[in-house]
Amino acid sequence: MRAENPVVYDPDFVFYYGVQGAWQIFSHKEAKQVLGDYNSFSNLFIPNLGKNIMGRNLNQSDPPDHKKLRSLVAKVFVPSVISKHADWIRQQCEDIIDPLLERGEMDFIHDFAIALPNRVIAQLLGIPAEDHQLVHSWVTTIVTNVKTMEEMQASFAAQQQIADYLDKMVEMRRVEPKDDLISHLLASEVNGERLNNEDLLGTVVGMFLAGFETTSSLLGNIAYTFCHHPEVLDHYLDHPEDFDNIINEVLRVLPSAKSMTRVAKHDLELHGQQIKKGDYLNIWLIAANHDPEVFPEPDKFDFRRPNHAESLSFGHGIHYCFGVPLAKMETEIALKVVFSRIRDLRIKEGVKIEMTPSTIITGFTKLPVTFSTVNVYQ
């Protein structure tokens, strides 16, 4: 498809927020062009209907609003704020993995890849532990593929439920600030300006979705890669300094964000196709990252590739993901803890691996694995 039709219109493609019909972008060149050209392609793609705050987050903004929002939010994600949570994240990793060791097997997705990011982003936002699973259920409903009117209604209902819940959290932090991201966002100020209530709420919801779902998928995709390429795991154990290269290649092959969306601001031509103002474009990051024009032998896992910077896994241009430092710190800590305790990671024999049914996320719903253990206290 990428070689023959790098830009093609699919009238039947349905987004999770109800819009139907979109141009599908498969090639790296055109994907990078669309993601980087904010003068021609807008990020305001979710219809702002009623109290649908999904249309009010940082990823739903264009200049000049985007610059102001990003400046306010980025202050919360500076290393000094994020790094102080490292010891707490390490303790959570240990608390999750240690009870599983005697079993010699686990569903890596359910038992670890979901459990850890769910705790981390909820803790960072200040969500009580007893509500973690409730909020997670809303997130899962939102990112699952929408195929029927009932599923679309369920997605909108989940968006409203998580918005109402976090709205109450925001109001509580206005009265009684704590050392969490919501309180920091409330206090964040640039040139005398602060986030208004709608932008703040939309940003918090966006943070939870991105901070949980993408990191959860990344952890699962790493485990899947180590199962299929045990030599890569062996190399990581011997050379942990190659963490960045290995993770960047996992992200290239299996990007947590499978696709991104834009809307044409005006009539234009893209690879010979006539795009009309208001047309939706679905940019397939996973296809762009496998473009042989940029990545020779794209299906080969090669963490020594010299051009990982060309990967579009975290987007491109002004909307490049500002949460990358948190995601990588969390992932690096998790790998150190897990693989200080287990070896011989393998997909359990006779089981079926299930991919997440989503056009947004690349990941697995189940990943049953077996392993041997290492005495960490030796």
Side-chain angles (χ1 to χ4, degrees), residues 10-296:
D10 181 358
D12 298 319
F13 186 87
V14 179
F15 294 94
Y16 71 90
Y17 37 84
V19 172
Q20 179 172 337
W23 292 95
Q24 308 298 315
I25 314 300
F26 297 104
S27 63
H28 187 279
K29 178 182 177 181
E30 278 69 34
K32 188 174 182 179
Q33 177 184 342
V34 173
L35 292 173
D37 184 2
Y38 58 81
N39 290 314
S40 297
F41 303 99
S42 172
N43 253 59
L44 299 172
F45 54 83
I46 296 181
N48 194 6
L49 303 175
K51 292 180 66 178
N52 176 21
I53 46 76
M54 289 296 293
R56 296 290 307 197
N57 63 66
L58 179 61
N59 195 42
Q60 283 291 301
S61 62
D62 287 335
D65 290 343
H66 175 266
K67 184 177 181 179
K68 181 187 74 173
L69 286 172
R70 191 175 181 101
S71 296
L72 289 165
V73 175
K75 292 183 68 176
V76 176
F77 278 82
V78 294
S80 61
V81 174
I82 297 303
S83 62
K84 67 180 181 180
H85 297 283
D87 289 341
W88 182 87
I89 293 174
R90 186 175 297 105
Q91 184 62 56
Q92 298 307 303
C93 291
E94 294 173 355
D95 290 348
I96 294 169
I97 197 66
D98 285 350
L100 305 172
L101 297 179
E102 288 187 7
R103 290 161 41 182
E105 65 177 70
M106 62 174 157
D107 178 350
F108 193 88
I109 302 302
H110 180 269
D111 293 333
F112 190 82
I114 287 177
L116 178 64
N118 194 32
R119 290 189 189 186
V120 171
I121 192 61
Q123 171 74 10
L124 293 179
L125 289 172
I127 296 171
E130 60 268 22
D131 293 341
H132 288 185
Q133 285 304 117
L134 175 63
V135 178
H136 165 63
S137 68
W138 293 330
V139 173
T140 300
T141 301
I142 292 170
V143 302
T144 300
N145 269 5
V146 171
K147 297 180 181 178
T148 67
M149 180 59 68
E150 289 76 15
E151 291 172 338
M152 190 179 303
Q153 291 172 343
S155 177
F156 279 120
Q159 292 174 41
Q160 191 57 62
Q161 287 171 314
I162 196 172
D164 290 343
Y165 177 89
L166 291 173
D167 191 22
K168 293 177 182 177
M169 287 284 301
V170 168
E171 292 309 310
M172 289 170 59
R173 292 300 181 268
R174 287 188 196 277
V175 177
E176 187 178 352
K178 294 187 177 182
D179 187 16
D180 55 38
L181 293 185
I182 291 178
S183 299
H184 285 300
L185 284 170
L186 283 166
S188 182
E189 183 177 315
V190 174
N191 296 327
E193 290 192 76
R194 296 189 179 189
L195 291 168
N196 64 41
N197 194 62
E198 287 185 326
D199 288 335
L200 174 64
L201 184 57
T203 297
V204 171
V205 173
M207 278 184 178
F208 194 95
L209 290 170
F212 165 71
E213 193 65 42
T214 55
T215 306
S216 175
S217 296
L218 173 57
L219 289 170
N221 294 342
I222 292 169
Y224 176 82
T225 299
F226 284 169
C227 287
H228 278 268
H229 300 281
E231 74 282 359
V232 177
L233 174 55
D234 291 341
H235 181 89
Y236 166 72
L237 293 172
D238 292 335
H239 302 280
E241 67 274 12
D242 282 338
F243 165 81
D244 275 333
N245 289 334
I246 292 171
I247 298 311
N248 287 337
E249 181 68 350
V250 172
L251 285 163
R252 183 194 69 81
V253 176
L254 295 169
S256 297
K258 186 181 293 183
S259 66
M260 292 183 177
T261 309
R262 297 291 187 270
V263 178
K265 289 185 173 182
H266 53 80
D267 293 354
L268 56 94
E269 182 177 304
L270 185 66
H271 197 79
Q273 299 281 19
Q274 300 302 313
I275 313 295
K276 299 295 184 182
K277 179 181 179 179
D279 281 358
Y280 275 67
L281 299 94
N282 193 60
I283 303 99
W284 290 100
L285 307 182
I286 193 167
N289 283 354
H290 285 75
D291 192 332
E293 295 294 321
V294 180
F295 302 103

Side-chain angles (χ1 to χ4, degrees), residues 157 161 273 367 373 378:
Q161 287 171 314
Q273 299 281 19
L367 189 63
T373 59
Q378 285 183 339

